[in-house]
Amino acid sequence: MEAAVPIGLEFDLLPERIDEGSAEERAAFGLFSVRTAAQTLTEGFDSFLNSYRKGPLVSGYHAAEWLAWNWWRLCYEPRTKAADWATAHKMTSIGEGYVWPNLEIWSDGVRTMLISRPSENPEAKPFRYLGAVPTIVPSSLFRSAIDEFMPRVLTRLRDERVPDTNLDRLWHDILAERSDGEVARRRRIEALMGRDPDAVEDDAVEMLIADSARLGEDAVEEIAAEHVGVGENVHVLTASDLDDFARSVGHGASPADAVRLASAERLPLRADVPAWRLGTDAARAVRLQERLGTAPIANGRLAEMAGTSTRAVTHSKGDAAFAFSLKDRVGSRSRIVTSGGRATTRRFALARIIGDQIMHRQGALHPATHAATYRQKAQRSFAAELLAPFDEVRTMLGGDYSEDRQQDIADYFLVSPMVVNTLLKNHGVIERDNTEYEPYVVAA
């Protein structure tokens, strides 16, 4: 289970002197640290001093320049397998001759993860990082921390009579882009696609922006994030593409007949809880409202909750890039695409769509993608809890968490074993792998 979110986040630089390097490097040299009220993420052992320090001696100019250059991607790009993802999200990529913190930073769009790992070499010199407990904060708090750090570095430059630096230009551009709604929107989409600002000359971003009138602005951002998840050379789906998929492999649905949560306003605020908790709470509320108890949900009942026919679960009409629900231009009818694969996969996809329509009522498109955005993680957890209520799963397991027993429970609830396994991890019943820092249901 995730601990309470630490209060506060600070990037700090305590002045020190160095007699070599560029003017910018010397002016902003010092002890660099990243800390919350609960811990320091950059703490380590300084072999020169033979003692522990809150952070390394580096040039804060290089740190600030990296944070500014990657600002949009740090704030909006989720964890992906993009080839250059590490360059934009791992501080070790800064280089410039310093031993930087082994710190990863990324966001799911709502909450920002700061993952501090120990130095890979236990005998690392001159600074050996200790690592820290994974830190998860509201993304607004991360942005505020950067907004407070930048002026400190720029002030140091002015105090040392270093004018008009590349950092000045970068940060000026970032502030200007953030203040312009249209430019900021473009930058967010680029970041979600794993792109640096204006780095790729194609019409993908413009097409997504144009499609937002038909699909919804939030949904378009989910498509942008999916582009990274399925490979950088894959055609980005347009509204026309989705309409074609909906007609050819979709199932008719009535949005007015889909289940709605009467107490949706009682769900926790997104920034206050991890995505898996929001999805779980919403699913439990639906089960209670619909008087579903703890038994498996039959295909017919699941389809009814989505406002569609049972064939959306039992029949595969062909594959699409991802599952989705898309309303017609009037809004009175929709088509639901659950894609191919096994029946358990289609059940999970349909449950995700039900959850998305409850947690995100606006927009014509409700996509269930492969991305690691907050919205997709909440969907997956909703589907897992709706189809296989955790409390009942734990009771039925009776302390036997073997793979065979998990398979038995999965068969009973008509879900994949991965759903059961991830439910157990989300609730702290079994341990996660070392690489799993943010709890969410990975797949059906």
Side-chain angles (χ1 to χ4, degrees), residues 330-351:
V330 177
S332 59
R333 297 291 300 174
S334 66
R335 304 283 293 178
I336 291 178
V337 174
T338 53
S339 199
R342 301 182 300 274
T344 55
T345 302
R346 293 192 293 273
R347 278 173 58 86
F348 196 80
L350 191 58

Side-chain angles (χ1 to χ4, degrees), residues 233-245:
N233 296 320
V234 174
H235 169 68
V236 179
L237 293 180
T238 65
S240 178
D241 294 328
L242 293 168
D243 276 325
D244 289 343
F245 274 123

Side-chain angles (χ1 to χ4, degrees), residues 82-156:
D84 69 340
W85 188 90
T87 302
H89 296 274
K90 292 186 178 183
M91 291 201 78
T92 51
S93 69
I94 298 176
E96 303 294 344
Y98 293 102
V99 182
W100 294 97
N102 196 7
L103 182 64
E104 286 185 13
I105 305 171
W106 78 92
S107 171
D108 62 13
V110 176
R111 289 152 62 83
T112 294
M113 277 56 73
L114 297 97
I115 309 303
S116 174
R117 295 185 177 88
S119 296
E120 293 184 4
N121 181 0
E123 304 297 326
K125 295 179 181 180
F127 200 86
R128 175 172 56 85
Y129 291 99
L130 303 180
V133 176
T135 295
I136 305 176
V137 300
S139 293
S140 59
L141 182 59
F142 172 75
R143 294 192 292 270
S144 295
I146 302 304
D147 286 349
E148 292 173 2
F149 178 66
M150 288 296 176
R152 294 178 190 171
V153 176
L154 293 172
T155 298
R156 289 275 298 278

Side-chain angles (χ1 to χ4, degrees), residues 60-326:
Y61 180 84
H62 297 312
E65 196 174 39
W66 181 81
L67 289 166
W69 177 260
N70 296 297
W71 191 89
W72 289 102
R73 293 183 67 177
L74 289 168
C75 290
Y76 296 101
E77 183 184 15
R79 200 173 190 176
T80 76
K81 295 181 179 179
D84 69 340
W85 188 90
T87 302
H89 296 274
K90 292 186 178 183
M91 291 201 78
T92 51
S93 69
I94 298 176
E96 303 294 344
Y98 293 102
V99 182
W100 294 97
N102 196 7
L103 182 64
E104 286 185 13
I105 305 171
W106 78 92
S107 171
D108 62 13
V110 176
R111 289 152 62 83
T112 294
M113 277 56 73
L114 297 97
I115 309 303
S116 174
R117 295 185 177 88
S119 296
E120 293 184 4
N121 181 0
E123 304 297 326
K125 295 179 181 180
F127 200 86
R128 175 172 56 85
Y129 291 99
L130 303 180
V133 176
T135 295
I136 305 176
V137 300
S139 293
S140 59
L141 182 59
F142 172 75
R143 294 192 292 270
S144 295
I146 302 304
D147 286 349
E148 292 173 2
F149 178 66
M150 288 296 176
R152 294 178 190 171
V153 176
L154 293 172
T155 298
R156 289 275 298 278
L157 294 170
R158 299 296 91 81
D159 290 345
E160 296 295 324
R161 294 182 171 82
V162 181
D164 192 26
T165 66
N166 185 54
L167 177 61
D168 285 281
R169 292 185 287 274
L170 280 173
W171 191 238
H172 176 271
D173 289 346
I174 290 293
L175 294 178
E177 290 168 354
R178 289 164 61 181
S179 66
D180 186 317
E182 289 302 313
V183 176
R185 185 180 176 195
R186 177 187 175 85
R187 293 290 182 253
R188 285 197 305 273
I189 291 176
E190 288 174 325
L192 285 162
M193 296 175 73
R195 297 179 172 187
D196 292 327
D198 295 327
V200 181
E201 296 183 2
D202 62 16
D203 58 357
V205 175
E206 284 72 19
M207 285 173 28
L208 286 169
I209 290 174
D211 282 345
S212 63
R214 164 78 174 100
L215 305 176
E217 289 189 15
D218 291 345
V220 158
E221 293 190 357
E222 297 300 317
I223 295 175
E226 172 72 359
H227 173 71
V228 174
V230 298
E232 297 178 5
N233 296 320
V234 174
H235 169 68
V236 179
L237 293 180
T238 65
S240 178
D241 294 328
L242 293 168
D243 276 325
D244 289 343
F245 274 123
R247 282 191 296 267
S248 61
V249 300
H251 301 268
S254 170
D257 294 334
V259 67
R260 291 288 183 269
L261 190 58
S263 57
E265 68 279 359
R266 299 178 188 174
L267 293 175
L269 296 175
R270 297 191 306 167
D272 292 342
V273 295
W276 75 266
R277 172 53 64 190
L278 175 62
T280 296
D281 288 354
R284 288 176 174 175
V286 168
R287 271 198 170 258
L288 180 64
Q289 174 184 289
E290 299 299 306
R291 298 188 175 127
L292 297 173
T294 59
I297 301 176
N299 290 340
R301 182 71 175 100
L302 185 66
E304 179 185 336
M305 293 170 66
T308 189
S309 69
T310 308
R311 292 178 63 86
V313 174
T314 59
H315 289 72
S316 172
K317 298 176 69 175
D319 284 328
F322 52 82
F324 63 89
S325 170
L326 180 61

Side-chain angles (χ1 to χ4, degrees), residues 4-52:
V5 175
I7 298 174
L9 175 66
E10 183 179 24
F11 289 72
D12 197 17
L13 184 68
L14 298 179
E16 296 281 353
R17 303 303 301 182
I18 190 173
D19 297 325
E20 57 186 30
S22 66
E24 295 93 337
E25 186 171 359
R26 296 195 306 271
F29 185 78
L31 191 152
F32 175 72
S33 64
V34 181
R35 61 178 180 265
T36 69
Q39 62 179 343
T40 300
L41 281 66
T42 51
E43 189 169 5
F45 185 80
D46 189 320
S47 60
F48 290 150
L49 297 178
N50 197 33
S51 65
Y52 292 96

